[in-house]
Amino acid sequence: MARFRPETTLNATTNADYAAMRVRVMRQVHFSTADQRTIELVFFVNGLPVATVELKTDFTQLLDEAIQQYRKKRNPLTNGRREPLLSFGHRALVHFAVSNDLAAMTTRLEGEKTHFLPFNTGF
């Protein structure tokens, strides 16, 4: 799925694999198969979604509002149908709630039972 920077340049195949890697960030990605709901950012590695992000600014909203948005509006099941991007073990590996100064992450969306861990590295 991914090739990280090799320690040396001695292996031409490894260097070519690393040079072919593509990391992309897309805004406002439609995640729902039932309606037009979107997630603010999705990170892709070689075309595969690996992380989603809900962004909040301290001027209008707080980190807790992003967390509640994931808990209440980002359900991996809609009307009994799986939302592929949000379903555990099917697409994105991690989901981030981010504000100006704080970040939190979870690997599994389970509605109200979703547990977020701090992902802060300081200011």
Side-chain angles (χ1 to χ4, degrees):
M1 181 175 119
R3 172 69 71 183
F4 298 99
R5 181 185 298 226
E7 297 275 332
T8 70
T9 59
L10 297 175
N11 186 325
T13 303
T14 302
N15 291 326
D17 289 346
Y18 175 70
M21 280 262 309
R22 295 294 175 254
V23 176
R24 299 283 187 256
V25 180
M26 286 183 64
R27 290 180 47 221
Q28 298 306 121
V29 175
H30 292 274
F31 70 90
S32 179
T33 57
D35 54 37
Q36 296 296 309
R37 291 178 291 158
T38 62
I39 289 187
E40 289 173 345
L41 293 178
V42 179
F43 290 82
F44 294 86
V45 174
N46 292 333
L48 300 172
V50 294
T52 68
V53 183
E54 286 294 344
L55 300 170
K56 302 299 175 202
T57 176
D58 291 340
F59 297 115
T60 58
Q61 296 175 312
L62 302 173
L63 179 73
D64 288 338
E65 293 178 63
I67 290 172
Q68 290 306 316
Q69 190 172 10
Y70 270 118
R71 286 182 177 156
K72 295 180 179 178
K73 297 180 181 178
R74 302 293 179 256
N75 193 336
L77 289 174
T78 302
N79 300 327
R81 295 179 57 188
R82 178 179 290 142
E83 297 293 1
L85 182 62
L86 304 178
S87 296
F88 181 73
H90 288 90
R91 296 288 193 282
L93 302 173
V94 64
H95 309 280
F96 291 99
V98 178
S99 72
N100 290 25
D101 296 326
L102 300 171
M105 57 82 63
T106 187
T107 56
R108 187 177 210 134
L109 296 174
E110 300 178 287
E112 290 293 329
K113 297 187 298 181
T114 301
H115 181 70
F116 278 83
L117 299 171
F119 195 76
N120 302 329
T121 58
F123 294 98

